[in-house]
Amino acid sequence: MSGTDDLIGVFDRALRALTGGGVAERPAPEAEEGSLTESERRHAAGLMRVNHAGEICAQALYEGQALTARDPEVRDALRTAAGEENDHLAWCRERLDELDGRPSLLDPVFYAASFALGAAVGVLGDKVSLGFVEATEDQVKRHLDSHIRDLPESDERSRAILEEMRADESRHGENARREGGVEFPEPVREAMTLASKLMTESTYRI
């Protein structure tokens, strides 16, 4: 495809991500719907809104990195991972609807910022880009672990979704490291942790 076709595809996928138009290739993990109090439902919806926003960011990061990747195999690997992340996005959106929640109003801002970051990282080279995937997925795994613990005990459906997402994220990070991603230094990882906390705190309610 030409560069123009690539950009049209990027724009189309961005619209789908931000408007809930993405369709999962895999069905959402199933679990019995437990009984939730109103406060538990609001809390679970807040957590799933954060996870949905995180998947918005993941879509944008992968799109930006794929757009500036140099090796076609790396580009294909990034887009394959983005496809699985699209499943996560659709699962989180579906669960938000079930909990009578809504996506974050900040999603367009986070998408734009993440896309720009992904494209900039990709310009630095494929090994740096793959290293960024590994470091990001490590952050995501920790974030998912905390949410799995923090969900209401009876919300097995949300928990099943997050556990399946965690398994995918772990595999994405391992694949990126295996394909030659450079290891990011600890100060960079700490900065990424801070950015993740800011996103989490802002999207829980907004």
Side-chain angles (χ1 to χ4, degrees):
M1 291 193 300
S2 68
T4 301
D5 290 332
D6 273 341
L7 290 174
I8 291 173
V10 166
F11 185 69
D12 177 67
R13 289 187 289 274
L15 283 179
R16 289 175 185 273
L18 291 169
T19 61
V23 178
E25 293 186 1
R26 296 173 292 169
E30 294 185 3
E32 291 222 11
E33 180 69 73
S35 177
L36 299 172
T37 66
E38 184 57 31
S39 62
E40 287 176 333
R41 181 174 294 275
R42 286 197 302 270
H43 179 53
L47 293 178
M48 293 308 291
R49 179 163 45 252
V50 172
N51 289 304
H52 180 267
E55 294 304 324
I56 288 283
C57 293
Q59 286 293 306
L61 285 168
Y62 278 122
E63 284 289 350
Q65 289 175 271
L67 188 67
T68 54
R70 300 172 189 176
D71 186 334
E73 291 187 5
V74 171
R75 185 181 302 115
D76 289 344
L78 290 167
R79 291 215 161 118
T80 296
E84 293 188 350
E85 298 285 354
N86 185 64
D87 288 349
H88 302 171
L89 182 64
W91 297 345
C92 288
R93 181 59 183 265
E94 179 183 355
R95 185 58 182 153
L96 262 179
D97 291 342
E98 293 170 352
L99 292 166
D100 298 323
R102 56 160 179 78
S104 172
L105 299 176
L106 300 173
D107 282 349
V109 176
F110 284 123
Y111 190 99
S114 297
F115 182 86
L117 177 59
V121 168
V123 168
L124 297 176
D126 290 341
K127 290 188 180 299
V128 173
S129 190
L130 289 169
F132 184 74
V133 169
E134 190 278 328
T136 300
E137 298 293 21
D138 182 61
Q139 296 290 327
V140 173
K141 285 190 298 181
R142 297 183 191 184
H143 160 86
L144 289 173
D145 284 340
S146 70
H147 279 202
I148 288 168
R149 291 192 300 268
D150 201 25
L151 278 169
E153 185 175 349
S154 58
D155 191 1
E156 292 300 330
R157 179 152 167 73
S158 296
R159 185 169 287 104
I161 290 170
L162 298 190
E163 287 174 346
E164 185 70 20
M165 287 168 54
R166 190 193 186 285
D168 286 345
E169 308 293 6
S170 181
R171 179 162 41 79
H172 295 165
E174 290 171 2
N175 289 344
R177 185 173 59 251
R178 191 180 305 117
E179 289 163 11
V182 299
E183 183 174 354
F184 274 35
E186 195 58 35
V188 175
R189 290 177 181 266
E190 290 175 0
M192 293 171 69
T193 298
L194 177 60
S196 176
K197 287 181 178 178
L198 291 173
M199 188 274 285
T200 298
E201 290 174 4
S202 59
T203 56
Y204 180 81
R205 292 182 176 83
I206 301 176

